[in-house]
Amino acid sequence: MTTNPVSVSEESRRTIIITGAGSGIGRASARVLLSQGWNVVLAGRTEEKLRQAADGNPRTLAVAADVAQSADVAELFEKASARFGRIHALFNNAGTFGPAVHVGDLSEEDWDEVCAVNLTGAINCARQAFNHMKDHGGGRIINNGSIAAQVPRPQSVAYAVTKHAITGLTRSMELDGRPWGITASQIDIGNAASEIMDQLGTSTGALQADGTRKVEPTFALEEAARAVAFIANAPASAAVNQLTITAAGMPYIGRG
């Protein structure tokens, strides 16, 4: 990691909860924010992955939680608050891509599974964060939207629909949170070099809108994490409503 550490007093440390923190963008974001002096609560389904991501840092707390279960999320916030006190930020990052099919072949079971994580999970975490921040002087909720919230890939209907919904969640919270100093942001990331890119076949040939397959460029996970940290570190007087970061040259602008 090349991020320079920041000298921060214990009293002024801020705390962030990151869901889906055991791998990918969540894990990279945790490490960047730790290097910048934050306390980081790492949440995910697999405790061992969370502990590996935390790497023994004393300013971390690893909590195994299924974001689709409201009781798990309530317990997550209780444990985070008990350990660190005020929660200043949430990176609502947990998500799943789901099956690569068009809507005619999307099973009810697969649809429910994607919605459970991408929508119900996001709402569960947003609800807990919003209520905590409402009672503790405000804060920032960062939703991981994906560029699929803007321009879908072929055969990504469940993922694209749920990520479009994240935009509605972000904008609603941005309005509803104003009386309490709660700011909502959305980050849309395209082709960060994570496991999901391997599933999509970007290195061997990802399906394009014209039916062909094309090797697509990717960019380092840490750069996506730096973008998350930029939003998290913005002063309360500044709202980062939406930020898009993609691999240079990927098929996104004018996709298809």
Side-chain angles (χ1 to χ4, degrees):
M1 185 188 303
T2 58
T3 306
N4 294 325
V6 176
S7 179
V8 180
S9 68
E10 201 62 45
E11 294 76 15
S12 64
R13 288 193 193 281
R14 289 177 290 172
T15 298
I16 187 169
I17 294 177
I18 300 177
T19 65
S23 61
I25 292 165
R27 177 174 179 153
S29 298
R31 291 183 169 178
V32 168
L33 286 160
L34 281 167
S35 77
Q36 295 178 349
W38 286 71
N39 300 318
V40 177
V41 180
L42 300 97
R45 290 181 176 177
T46 308
E47 187 170 0
E48 180 57 33
K49 285 186 176 181
L50 300 174
R51 293 193 182 282
Q52 290 174 4
D55 196 27
N57 191 304
R59 288 186 285 103
T60 64
L61 174 66
V63 180
D66 180 353
V67 295
Q69 303 299 319
S70 59
D72 280 18
V73 176
E75 186 176 3
L76 163 65
F77 275 78
E78 287 170 5
K79 288 181 176 178
S81 184
R83 171 71 178 275
F84 294 120
R86 178 180 173 184
I87 309 303
H88 299 80
L90 164 70
F91 182 27
N92 217 354
N93 169 67
T96 183
F97 191 79
V101 296
H102 56 66
V103 67
D105 288 336
L106 179 64
S107 72
E108 185 175 349
E109 293 75 20
D110 285 337
W111 168 246
D112 288 346
E113 182 178 347
V114 174
C115 281
V117 178
N118 293 3
L119 283 185
T120 301
I123 287 285
N124 285 342
C125 293
R127 181 192 303 114
Q128 290 290 333
F130 194 98
N131 286 333
H132 175 93
M133 292 171 184
K134 186 174 69 170
D135 295 336
H136 292 84
R140 192 176 299 271
I141 298 170
I142 306 167
N143 292 322
N144 191 345
S146 165
I147 60 167
Q150 303 177 34
V151 184
R153 288 182 177 275
Q155 298 186 6
S156 66
V157 60
Y159 185 73
V161 170
T162 54
K163 289 302 184 178
H164 273 67
I166 292 299
T167 301
L169 172 63
T170 305
R171 292 175 179 175
S172 294
M173 287 194 301
E174 174 61 26
L175 289 175
D176 294 344
R178 288 177 182 177
W180 298 284
I182 301 169
T183 302
S185 304
Q186 181 166 318
I187 184 165
D188 292 339
I189 301 169
N191 282 21
S194 63
E195 292 89 338
I196 197 169
M197 291 297 100
D198 294 332
Q199 296 173 28
L200 293 173
T202 53
S203 61
T204 56
L207 183 63
Q208 305 297 304
D210 63 0
T212 63
R213 291 192 175 271
K214 180 179 180 179
V215 174
E216 297 184 8
T218 59
F219 71 108
L221 274 175
E222 185 177 300
E223 298 308 319
R226 288 177 189 272
V228 173
F230 165 76
I231 300 173
N233 285 308
S237 58
V240 182
N241 303 121
Q242 192 276 336
L243 187 154
T244 301
I245 179 170
T246 72
M250 73 166 289
Y252 161 62
I253 302 298
R255 181 180 279 184

